């Protein structure tokens, strides 16, 4: 097939793909077109065609290698496990600091309510102290805003990884969260659990009692 | 002229904890008539039916930001003369310039202390003990 013949065939195939998939085409589809083009390029090739052939062949190799490298990164796992887990942990930090801040302020307000029962000098001193407590509590707002920014960035990364997974179609499967097998003592070091999955003291007591 | 500490103050922030902190600091400064709104549009509704002597607002809120609230307030014949203090973590100079151009009375960067709040309030309301 001559270069002109290749151009015509390529045009026809591209038109067919556009009709089927629109302007966004998965990497697998591109590789399929390249393979198909290579299959058709047999017979009367001249020097220019051979150069084109080598270029297309190296493009196919490049796509193949890139796919293998990206698959080795396990983007499905990054998206479903690492990023999801990181955002959950950050949300938990905001929730916990907010709850703690409100507890601290409850206590400061109770202290303030005692002021009328004290002599003026002590009451004034205590008001100064409770003011410092209220001022210090502003950390929670700043912390919350900073963490919200980080969560937003993580969600952006998550959406880009998702696009990558989609582009590869079925070759990189979205992996769900997997329970890690416990093989060593280090595997037991999970840190604080998220409120939704943490066992409370009563559950721990029941579990311990079940051994008796 | 002495500052009327019985004036109604509207504080606006989407963080309930911050509203509570500011309310407590205002109480310690002697301002007890304090109302709260959690975003700009809620604040605007309250301003249109209430009688407020001071607005203390966060910037970063949804759906209406503090800057949009400030612009609405300054564009409203009935509200435009109410002092407006922005209390925000947005500390870039372009933020301060934008707020100034929109007519902010003063600007406090978070985190802040009671003394800063008192100083900024004094600068827009006049000295108060």
């Amino acid at each position: 097939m001559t270069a002109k013949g290749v151009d015509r065939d390529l045009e026809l195939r591209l038109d067919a793909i556009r009709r089927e998939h629109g302007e966004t085409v998965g990497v697998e589809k591109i590789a399929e077109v390249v393979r198909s083009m290579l299959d058709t390029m047999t017979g009367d090739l001249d020097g220019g065609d051979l150069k084109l052939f080598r270029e297309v062949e190296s493009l196919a190799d490049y796509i193949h290698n890139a796919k293998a490298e990206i698959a080795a990164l396990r983007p499905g796992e990054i998206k479903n496990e690492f990023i999801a887990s990181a955002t959950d942990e950050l949300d938990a930090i905001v929730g916990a600091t907010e709850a703690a801040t409100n507890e601290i302020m409850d206590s400061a307000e109770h202290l303030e309510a005692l002021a009328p029962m004290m002599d003026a000098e002590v009451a004034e001193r205590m008001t100064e102290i409770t003011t410092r407590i209220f001022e210090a509590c502003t950390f929670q707002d700043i912390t919350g805003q900073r963490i919200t920014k980080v969560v937003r960035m993580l969600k952006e990364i998550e959406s880009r990884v998702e696009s990558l997974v989609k582009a590869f179609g079925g070759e990189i499967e979205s992996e769900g969260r997997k329970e890690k097998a416990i093989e060593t003592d280090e595997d037991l070091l999970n840190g604080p659990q998220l409120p939704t999955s943490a066992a409370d003291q009563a559950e721990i007591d029941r579990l311990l009692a079940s051994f008796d | 002229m002495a500052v009327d500490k019985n004036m109604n103050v509207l504080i606006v922030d989407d963080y309930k904890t911050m509203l509570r902190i500011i309310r407590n600091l205002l109480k310690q400064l002697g301002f007890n008539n304090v109302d709260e709104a959690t975003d700009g549009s809620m604040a605007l509704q309250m301003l249109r039916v209430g009688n407020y002597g001071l607005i203390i607002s966060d910037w970063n809120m949804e759906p209406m930001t503090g800057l949009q609230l400030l612009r609405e307030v300054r564009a409203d014949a009935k509200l435009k003369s109410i002092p407006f203090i922005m209390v925000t973590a947005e500390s870039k100079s372009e933020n301060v310039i934008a707020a100034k151009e929109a007519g902010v009375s003063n600007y406090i960067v978070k985190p802040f202390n009671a003394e800063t709040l008192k100083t900024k309030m004094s600068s827009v309301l006049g000295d108060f003990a």
Side-chain angles (χ1 to χ4, degrees), chain A residues 106 109 112 130-131 135 141, chain B residues 15 20 24 28 110 113-114:
Chain A
D106 282 346
E109 285 172 7
E112 256 193 342
T130 52
T131 301
E135 288 171 357
D141 181 52
Chain B
Y15 253 108
R20 192 173 171 189
N24 273 304
Q28 292 188 334
K110 292 176 182 173
N113 58 31

Side-chain angles (χ1 to χ4, degrees), chain A residues 94 98 101-103 105-107 109 112 126-128 130-132 134-135 137-145 148 152, chain B residues 13-18 20-25 27-28 58 60 62 87-90 109-116:
Chain A
V94 174
E98 190 167 359
T101 305
N102 280 310
E103 290 245 354
M105 284 200 294
D106 282 346
S107 304
E109 285 172 7
E112 256 193 342
M126 199 177 68
T127 301
E128 282 173 21
T130 52
T131 301
R132 295 286 165 276
F134 292 134
E135 288 171 357
C137 286
T138 60
F139 89 94
Q140 200 274 326
D141 181 52
I142 303 296
T143 308
Q145 289 193 42
T148 302
R152 212 177 294 139
Chain B
D13 203 303
D14 55 352
Y15 253 108
K16 293 267 172 67
T17 310
M18 184 50 75
R20 192 173 171 189
I21 291 166
I22 297 174
R23 175 187 280 278
N24 273 304
L25 293 176
K27 187 177 159 197
Q28 292 188 334
D58 182 29
N60 196 347
E62 289 179 350
V87 182
T88 175
E90 306 288 348
V109 177
K110 292 176 182 173
F112 62 98
N113 58 31
E115 192 53 39
T116 304

Side-chain angles (χ1 to χ4, degrees), chain B:
Chain B
M1 199 173 79
V3 173
D4 177 14
K5 287 190 174 179
N6 289 317
M7 72 167 66
N8 294 316
V9 179
L10 180 63
I11 53 177
V12 193
D13 203 303
D14 55 352
Y15 253 108
K16 293 267 172 67
T17 310
M18 184 50 75
L19 289 172
R20 192 173 171 189
I21 291 166
I22 297 174
R23 175 187 280 278
N24 273 304
L25 293 176
L26 288 171
K27 187 177 159 197
Q28 292 188 334
L29 294 174
F31 293 82
N32 288 302
N33 296 324
V34 179
D35 287 334
E36 299 174 357
T38 52
D39 80 274
S41 49
M42 180 181 175
L44 204 54
Q45 285 176 11
M46 293 171 73
L47 285 162
R48 285 183 173 143
V49 295
N51 181 26
Y52 292 95
L54 176 65
I55 303 165
I56 298 175
S57 176
D58 182 29
W59 182 314
N60 196 347
M61 298 175 290
E62 289 179 350
M64 185 189 281
T65 67
L67 185 66
Q68 289 169 320
L69 172 65
L70 172 59
R71 289 185 179 130
E72 292 283 346
V73 167
R74 292 296 177 247
D76 188 306
K78 181 181 165 242
L79 307 175
K80 66 180 178 188
S81 61
I82 302 175
F84 192 115
I85 298 177
M86 193 77 85
V87 182
T88 175
E90 306 288 348
S91 58
K92 288 190 172 175
S93 55
E94 57 255 39
N95 289 87
V96 181
I97 292 166
K100 191 66 195 164
E101 285 174 353
V104 80
S105 310
N106 221 314
Y107 199 99
I108 298 175
V109 177
K110 292 176 182 173
F112 62 98
N113 58 31
E115 192 53 39
T116 304
L117 180 62
K118 186 181 175 185
T119 305
K120 300 300 181 189
M121 283 176 65
S122 295
S123 79
V124 298
L125 298 173
D127 280 338
F128 56 89

Side-chain angles (χ1 to χ4, degrees), chain A residues 83-101 139-140 143-144 147-148 151 154-155 177 190-198, chain B residues 15:
Chain A
I83 295 178
S85 169
T87 53
D88 286 350
E89 295 285 351
L90 291 171
D91 286 343
I93 291 172
V94 174
T97 55
E98 190 167 359
T101 305
F139 89 94
Q140 200 274 326
T143 308
I147 291 177
T148 302
V151 169
L154 283 171
K155 292 212 187 292
R177 288 195 202 196
N190 297 304
Q193 296 299 286
L194 293 169
T196 47
S197 56
Chain B
Y15 253 108

